[in-house]
Amino acid sequence: MENVPLPAFRFSRLLTVQPDDIDELNHVNNVRYVQWVQDTAAAHWQAAAPPEAQQHYVWVVREHHIRYLQPALLGQQVRCITWVSSMEGVTSHRHVRIERAEDNKLLCEAETHWILLDPSSMRPQRIPPEMARWVQEAV
């Protein structure tokens, strides 16, 4: 599959900051943001890909680029928004924005490069053309 620029369909989910999310500085721990980035990507994939297809593919993180901009505090609602900007060869480039739901203030943004694996061999496999369509359709 050649580098395919994708339209900016966005998948989102709301979370409420829980006591386990808070660190010694009384705001969401940076590690929790990374977990939210990964969980949001997984939620989008599970909502978008046909159930039978999910058994034939495994996504793993190659690298994360993440910027922390503002803290999130206990009890606040945050909106995690994700979209896939491109799929090329075995790599998918995914973006995640984490915003405070109350005022849409950007708290964190991330770009993650994912690699598609064959679950039986755990080796990289080329992204099939129909996969771009799955992640771009409203779910």
Side-chain angles (χ1 to χ4, degrees):
M1 179 176 196
E2 62 185 67
N3 186 8
V4 178
L6 300 173
F9 169 76
R10 294 171 188 241
F11 173 86
S12 68
R13 66 190 194 124
L14 284 174
L15 303 170
T16 300
V17 177
Q18 302 297 312
D20 289 350
D21 301 327
I22 302 299
D23 64 15
E24 66 278 355
L25 300 175
N26 288 321
H27 58 65
V28 172
N29 187 291
N30 290 359
V31 173
R32 184 65 72 199
Y33 282 103
V34 174
Q35 186 66 58
W36 290 345
V37 165
Q38 290 190 183
D39 291 350
T40 299
H44 180 209
W45 171 248
Q46 291 167 357
E52 63 278 3
Q54 293 179 33
Q55 301 170 43
H56 300 290
Y57 303 107
V58 174
W59 289 102
V60 295
V61 172
R62 181 176 190 184
E63 61 187 69
H64 283 297
H65 298 273
I66 190 163
R67 287 189 337 151
Y68 304 100
L69 302 163
Q70 296 287 323
L73 306 174
L74 183 63
Q76 289 181 328
Q77 270 202 322
V78 296
R79 182 179 302 106
C80 300
I81 305 161
T82 189
W83 66 97
V84 175
S85 62
S86 68
M87 292 180 153
E88 178 180 10
V90 301
T91 305
S92 172
H93 297 248
R94 178 180 287 279
H95 303 266
V96 176
R97 290 176 52 94
I98 300 175
E99 303 172 347
R100 190 168 45 227
E102 176 184 352
D103 59 4
N104 300 323
K105 181 75 172 176
L106 180 60
L107 307 177
C108 177
E109 60 185 354
E111 181 181 347
T112 304
H113 299 180
W114 294 83
I115 303 295
L116 185 64
L117 300 181
D118 177 304
S120 58
S121 68
M122 296 308 281
R123 297 188 50 83
Q125 66 175 319
R126 294 190 68 76
I127 297 169
E130 66 271 14
M131 198 172 284
R133 187 182 74 249
W134 297 341
V135 299
Q136 293 308 307
E137 293 176 349
V139 291

